Amino acid sequence: MVARVGTVAFQGIDTLGIDVQVQMAGGLPAFTVVGLPDKAVGESRERVRSALGAMGLALPPKRITVNLSPADVLKEGSHFDLPIALGLLVAMGVLPADELARYTVLGELALDGAIAPVAGVLPAAIAAAAESRGIICPAATGGEAAWADGIEVLAPATLLALINHFKGSQVLTPPEPQLAEDGMATPDLADIKGQETAKRALELCAAGAHNLLMLGPPGAGKSMLAQRLPGILPSLDPREALEVSMIHSVAGMLDGGRLSRRRPFRDPHHSASLAAMVGGGTRARPGEVSLAHNGVLFLDELPEFQRPTLEALRQPVETGRAVVARANAHVTYPARFQLVAAMNPCRCGHLDDPAIACARAPRCAQDYQAKISGPLFDRIDLHVEVPAVSPADLSLPPPAEGSDQVRARVAAARDVQAARYAGLPEGSRIRTNAEADGRLLEEVAAPDAPGRKLLAEATDALRLTARGYHRVLRVARTLADLDGAADVRRIHIAEALSYRRVAPGR
């Protein structure tokens, strides 16, 4: 007899069904796991043996073979512990095979029989719901699995509780879907004095999901502005929250299995490696660009990042996805994020300060800013200079307008965009102006005659690429949305052009 229990392997946020086959045969006592297991899966033998022993069950003195099918797919992670243990219990006659056949099982076993939380429960639950199956997962992640519609969820705290449930001596209470409490206070825009141009650019960035580069001397408030961006962004809608949570679930970052409506804000240090930024490693984990999906990726001190790391951002910024290709894995993660970056004008940071003259100007600025390649620079919609704050600005009272007022305008502009793109085919998935391109952009952002003339003249004078041309149209469309205008006018084109620099280092 071969006992079978269903589980999954992860390929990015997608799942692949795995059939855990357990056979007990005569011969010398042995416990073998085959089917291309990694180190964690191979060690499951000792965890399963100890967990069963903690309940007073000993493995029979037989030759036990566990096959993870399909055998040519690498099996990674500790979530195979529980399906292997249940397969053994079915083979030993402790549990009925027909009961377990309708569940997908995930869970790591502790030595005392407790079931520890594992990553990836949410995508596994969604895949199980698509196949009309139930799911068995750890109690700590039951709230995560409950977000899958129309699915039976068993979330035991221990292996013994699960056995008693199938025996009928105990009933497991179905878990409830949980939302994380949004109790984290966000900094307010009212804390920033002066910098009205930068605040305007930040509002524009939030309203249209545009990329933003802030350039200015140390202490001008670039990081403070970026930290206040989450406070003016709208909350995730249910579909966006599910997309973000699936990535965070695979990464093991869902706190207690609770989903969050707050947009991600990732700010990695400039020492981050290419794999940490884009994704990779031995298990092809999601990187910062994917963890920032539907949110913000803030890169402070942009030229200090390694050149290959910055160049690797070009494809995700353009396509909204990160393709991680390795010898043992080829996975694709969503990566539709807003790139917000900050940098000094030169290495010393005082290029434009006459009191602290830069000794190597202008070569210092050219060399420093040239670390940002032209193709990456061209993918950033808004380039804004953030000058040093004067003592007169610091002595002013706090601004009357704070994050709440700006957030209301941003939400209204986002609602306009959602209504505009709602009639598009389901596969397009365009939600903001920053995602519109090509013929669609020409339809929704076609400027009036004076605006078209100004854009043509500026394209020739500034040597704008086709990408730069379209990004000006996107920004102009967002400016019109903020103004409540149905059409893009010359004033919107003019302001959009004011946010584009010629080239890095110039």
Side-chain angles (χ1 to χ4, degrees), residues 214 222-223 226-227 265-268 296-301 305 338-342:
M214 294 178 285
K222 303 184 295 296
S223 299
Q227 290 163 3
F265 182 83
R266 306 291 300 181
D267 54 346
V296 177
L297 176 65
F298 175 50
L299 303 183
D300 202 2
E301 306 297 344
F305 282 82
Q338 284 183 256
L339 175 62
V340 177

Side-chain angles (χ1 to χ4, degrees), residues 325-479:
R326 300 292 184 268
N328 60 348
H330 192 286
V331 299
T332 300
Y333 289 105
R336 181 66 66 184
F337 60 93
Q338 284 183 256
L339 175 62
V340 177
M343 61 181 290
N344 297 329
C346 62
R347 182 169 292 279
C348 68
H350 302 290
L351 179 69
D352 299 324
D353 191 342
I356 314 175
C358 179
R360 296 183 59 246
R363 187 56 183 250
C364 176
Q366 294 173 352
D367 292 344
Y368 192 67
Q369 295 183 30
K371 292 183 177 181
I372 314 304
S373 69
L376 178 60
F377 193 85
D378 199 36
R379 284 168 166 81
I380 299 177
D381 304 338
L382 306 170
H383 312 127
V384 60
E385 294 194 11
V386 185
V389 182
S390 67
D393 288 333
L394 292 175
S395 62
L396 292 174
E401 185 177 73
S403 293
D404 291 340
Q405 292 79 9
V406 177
R407 187 190 307 115
R409 292 198 297 268
V410 169
R414 288 279 185 121
D415 290 342
V416 169
Q417 295 168 58
R420 176 184 300 129
Y421 302 120
L424 296 177
E426 180 67 18
S428 61
R429 300 294 311 281
I430 293 178
R431 289 173 284 226
T432 61
N433 291 329
E435 300 173 52
D437 206 350
R439 181 177 301 176
L440 175 63
L441 190 61
E442 295 289 348
E443 293 177 0
V444 302
D448 58 11
R452 189 179 302 110
K453 179 180 179 182
L454 175 61
L455 182 56
E457 293 172 352
T459 300
D460 184 57
L462 298 177
R463 302 293 183 184
L464 293 180
T465 63
R467 182 187 291 115
Y469 175 90
H470 285 144
R471 291 188 181 274
V472 170
L473 283 179
R474 293 173 183 171
V475 174
R477 180 66 264 179
T478 303
L479 287 166

Side-chain angles (χ1 to χ4, degrees), residues 66-443:
V66 177
N67 179 43
L68 307 177
S69 177
D72 60 344
V73 175
L74 180 64
K75 317 304 185 307
E76 301 173 319
S78 59
H79 66 275
F80 289 94
D81 290 4
L82 187 56
I84 290 175
L86 294 182
L88 288 170
L89 292 173
V90 170
M92 294 164 61
V94 177
L95 292 178
D98 55 343
E99 285 287 332
L100 286 171
R102 55 192 181 93
Y103 290 99
T104 296
V105 185
L106 298 91
E108 176 185 332
L109 287 176
L111 299 184
D112 61 355
I115 303 177
V118 293
V121 170
L122 179 58
I126 293 175
E131 299 176 358
S132 301
R133 297 167 62 91
I135 188 169
I136 301 174
C137 63
T141 57
E144 180 180 340
W147 284 100
D149 290 334
I151 184 174
E152 181 185 358
V153 181
L154 298 181
T158 64
L159 182 58
L160 181 60
L162 183 61
I163 294 175
N164 290 337
H165 173 82
F166 284 114
K167 291 288 187 181
S169 59
Q170 180 179 349
V171 177
L172 293 173
T173 304
E176 296 292 331
Q178 300 178 12
L179 271 175
E181 295 182 4
D182 194 6
M184 184 184 302
T186 56
D188 200 294
L189 268 176
D191 300 334
I192 298 179
K193 298 180 180 180
Q195 305 297 7
E196 297 305 321
T197 301
K199 290 181 184 178
R200 169 69 169 173
L202 196 70
E203 178 179 346
L204 181 57
C205 165
H210 300 291
N211 301 324
L212 171 66
L213 173 65
M214 294 178 285
L215 188 145
K222 303 184 295 296
S223 299
M224 290 182 64
L225 285 162
Q227 290 163 3
R228 281 147 182 81
L229 180 56
I232 63 175
L233 287 172
S235 299
L236 295 166
D237 63 35
R239 186 170 189 170
E240 290 175 328
L242 191 62
E243 291 175 1
V244 171
S245 299
M246 288 179 69
I247 300 172
H248 288 196
S249 176
V250 170
M253 295 175 56
L254 281 187
D255 184 18
R258 294 186 291 270
L259 274 65
S260 175
R261 297 289 300 276
R262 179 186 289 270
R263 291 190 180 272
F265 182 83
R266 306 291 300 181
D267 54 346
H269 190 261
H270 58 74
S271 61
S273 66
L274 190 151
M277 187 67 71
V278 180
T282 56
R283 297 181 59 184
R285 306 281 287 189
E288 293 291 337
V289 297
S290 298
L291 297 176
H293 180 62
N294 287 331
V296 177
L297 176 65
F298 175 50
L299 303 183
D300 202 2
E301 306 297 344
L302 185 66
E304 301 298 335
F305 282 82
Q306 300 175 22
R307 184 66 176 265
T309 302
L310 291 180
E311 295 307 301
L313 295 175
R314 286 157 55 175
Q315 182 191 22
V317 166
E318 195 73 17
T319 64
R321 58 192 179 93
V323 180
V324 182
R326 300 292 184 268
N328 60 348
H330 192 286
V331 299
T332 300
Y333 289 105
R336 181 66 66 184
F337 60 93
Q338 284 183 256
L339 175 62
V340 177
M343 61 181 290
N344 297 329
C346 62
R347 182 169 292 279
C348 68
H350 302 290
L351 179 69
D352 299 324
D353 191 342
I356 314 175
C358 179
R360 296 183 59 246
R363 187 56 183 250
C364 176
Q366 294 173 352
D367 292 344
Y368 192 67
Q369 295 183 30
K371 292 183 177 181
I372 314 304
S373 69
L376 178 60
F377 193 85
D378 199 36
R379 284 168 166 81
I380 299 177
D381 304 338
L382 306 170
H383 312 127
V384 60
E385 294 194 11
V386 185
V389 182
S390 67
D393 288 333
L394 292 175
S395 62
L396 292 174
E401 185 177 73
S403 293
D404 291 340
Q405 292 79 9
V406 177
R407 187 190 307 115
R409 292 198 297 268
V410 169
R414 288 279 185 121
D415 290 342
V416 169
Q417 295 168 58
R420 176 184 300 129
Y421 302 120
L424 296 177
E426 180 67 18
S428 61
R429 300 294 311 281
I430 293 178
R431 289 173 284 226
T432 61
N433 291 329
E435 300 173 52
D437 206 350
R439 181 177 301 176
L440 175 63
L441 190 61
E442 295 289 348
E443 293 177 0

